[in-house]
Amino acid sequence: MSARDRLRLAVQKSGRLAEPSRELLARCGLSFRESRDRLFCYGETLPIDLLLVRDDDIPGLLQQGVCDLGIVGRNVLAEALAASESAGENLREWLPLGFGACRLALAVPQEWGFLELRELAGKRIATSYPMLLRRWLEQRGLRAEIVVLSGSVEIAPRLGTADLICDLVSTGATLAANQLREVATVLESEAVLAGPVRPFGDERAALAELLLRRLRGVLEGRASRLVMMRAPVSALAEIERRLPRVSARNVLPLADAHGAVAIQALCGAEPSWAQLEELKRLGVENLLVLPVEKALL
Ligand code: PRP
Ligand code: ZN
């Protein structure tokens, strides 16, 4: 493949990850001009273009070099990695993205008084994730028949084509609607940035690095809180010990107070009510906890 100076990023066209993927990229300062076919979007603010595709196609597109990076469920990526050796050598998870949490789980008909994994022996399990399921069964020394279905897995037990299923569960609504009960987790999943194992040998390397840095900044910011307060200077050390994961702080003098300072602390997590109440007991006043839009420390 010839040297390229634009990075091509594949995202799900429609479905669970589509909207939050686009929203995350917008937060990273990327904007796009949509094409008429709604398949390709030209990057306006940075030379990073979007390809809108089916999520299941993303690992294949990455391997073929049609796109450089992709936002895809770990479940889809892991199945592709388990399915072919070359995928495992070429692709990897670059960064978990903190949305689209779900799990690949085994579920049985509600009336089945399932107690132990041993009961899976000889049963037929419908799934769209045969490689992940096979590996999971093998690791537990279980022998079961895998029935591969590309969709509507949840109705297989009612149709009699399988005894139970192994499918993605997010809210659990699909299982409930089909009178199925979750009994084991095969894989914890969320949206991830997927990309090549080997670094790009051209301009794309710097673009990928930039995107990664901004993604990390946004993800960090999502969990972070700016905590502001007025505090007795003597309690500074005690206060800092009670704040979660402080990564930056300013201590400012106050014009109107002796022995009191203003503190701004950037915390890596939201302080709990209990932590705030402890701060109050240390003599802190005017406590404010604010979300963080962007951070560049
Ligand atoms: C998954 C899965 C279920 C549904 C479960 O599909 O196949 O149908 O989500 O979600 P729930 O627990 O909230 O009801 P997904 O959205 O990944 O679509 P796809 O399999 O067609 O890609
Ligand atoms: Zn899909």
Side-chain angles (χ1 to χ4, degrees):
M1 179 132 308
S2 60
R4 288 222 305 263
D5 56 2
R6 298 187 70 86
L7 192 76
R8 207 174 281 166
L9 175 66
V11 300
Q12 193 185 34
K13 186 184 168 87
S14 65
R16 253 174 344 110
L17 304 184
E19 194 52 36
S21 300
R22 300 293 299 271
E23 196 255 347
L24 178 61
L25 295 174
R27 289 225 151 256
C28 289
L30 274 63
S31 75
F32 304 94
R33 199 165 60 226
E34 312 256 342
S35 67
R36 215 163 320 146
D37 61 7
R38 297 244 317 120
L39 176 72
F40 183 85
C41 303
Y42 184 82
E44 291 180 316
T45 41
L46 282 173
I48 300 179
D49 304 320
L50 278 194
L51 214 54
L52 306 181
V53 297
R54 267 172 40 112
D55 60 343
D56 312 64
D57 293 339
I58 291 177
L61 293 168
L62 283 167
Q63 267 207 281
Q64 294 156 27
V66 176
C67 54
D68 304 308
L69 298 172
I71 295 181
V72 66
R74 177 180 295 132
N75 48 296
V76 169
L77 179 64
E79 177 69 16
L81 295 182
S84 98
E85 220 169 286
S86 74
E89 284 161 10
N90 295 312
L91 298 183
R92 68 176 177 88
E93 181 175 322
W94 277 31
L95 185 71
L97 297 174
F99 66 90
C102 61
R103 55 207 175 270
L104 185 62
L106 291 177
V108 303
Q110 267 162 12
E111 64 274 13
W112 182 357
F114 185 93
L115 288 177
E116 289 182 60
L117 289 180
R118 272 189 316 187
E119 293 175 47
L120 295 177
K123 294 286 193 299
R124 295 165 304 158
I125 312 177
T127 191
S128 312
Y129 298 86
M131 302 311 293
L132 292 175
L133 175 58
R134 173 163 307 133
R135 193 167 66 192
W136 187 87
L137 290 168
E138 277 172 8
Q139 283 167 353
R140 284 154 187 79
L142 296 165
R143 275 174 191 278
E145 186 190 331
I146 298 176
V147 180
V148 184
L149 297 178
S150 58
S152 303
V153 170
E154 63 277 6
I155 61 172
R158 252 185 303 149
L159 295 179
T161 47
D163 302 304
L164 68 151
I165 68 165
C166 171
D167 199 13
L168 283 192
V169 182
S170 166
T171 60
T174 304
L175 291 189
N178 290 280
Q179 287 99 50
L180 295 167
R181 183 164 57 88
E182 202 174 333
V183 293
T185 301
V186 172
L187 180 83
E188 294 282 353
S189 184
E190 67 182 286
V192 303
L193 182 68
V197 166
R198 278 172 290 280
F200 298 109
D202 49 29
E203 313 279 313
R204 289 174 294 173
L207 287 170
E209 199 45 52
L210 177 83
L211 179 61
L212 214 48
R213 216 166 37 234
R214 288 195 185 176
L215 284 169
R216 287 204 182 100
V218 172
L219 297 178
E220 195 102 324
R222 283 201 172 152
S224 300
R225 295 290 182 275
L226 179 67
V227 182
M228 306 203 319
M229 69 195 85
R230 177 189 174 101
V233 72
S234 56
L236 266 182
E238 278 291 300
I239 290 166
E240 189 146 335
R241 210 169 315 136
R242 283 173 169 76
L243 289 170
R245 294 173 38 214
V246 176
S247 56
R249 70 173 188 147
N250 295 314
V251 179
L252 312 166
L254 289 168
D256 65 332
H258 301 287
V261 287
I263 302 176
Q264 303 169 335
L266 182 61
C267 299
E270 178 161 19
S272 66
W273 278 109
Q275 283 168 325
L276 296 182
E277 282 150 8
E278 278 190 51
L279 294 181
K280 276 305 265 187
R281 281 194 285 275
L282 292 170
V284 165
E285 290 182 293
N286 302 344
L287 253 176
L288 286 176
V289 180
L290 291 86
V292 175
E293 281 283 326
K294 292 190 178 75
L296 203 60
L297 305 181

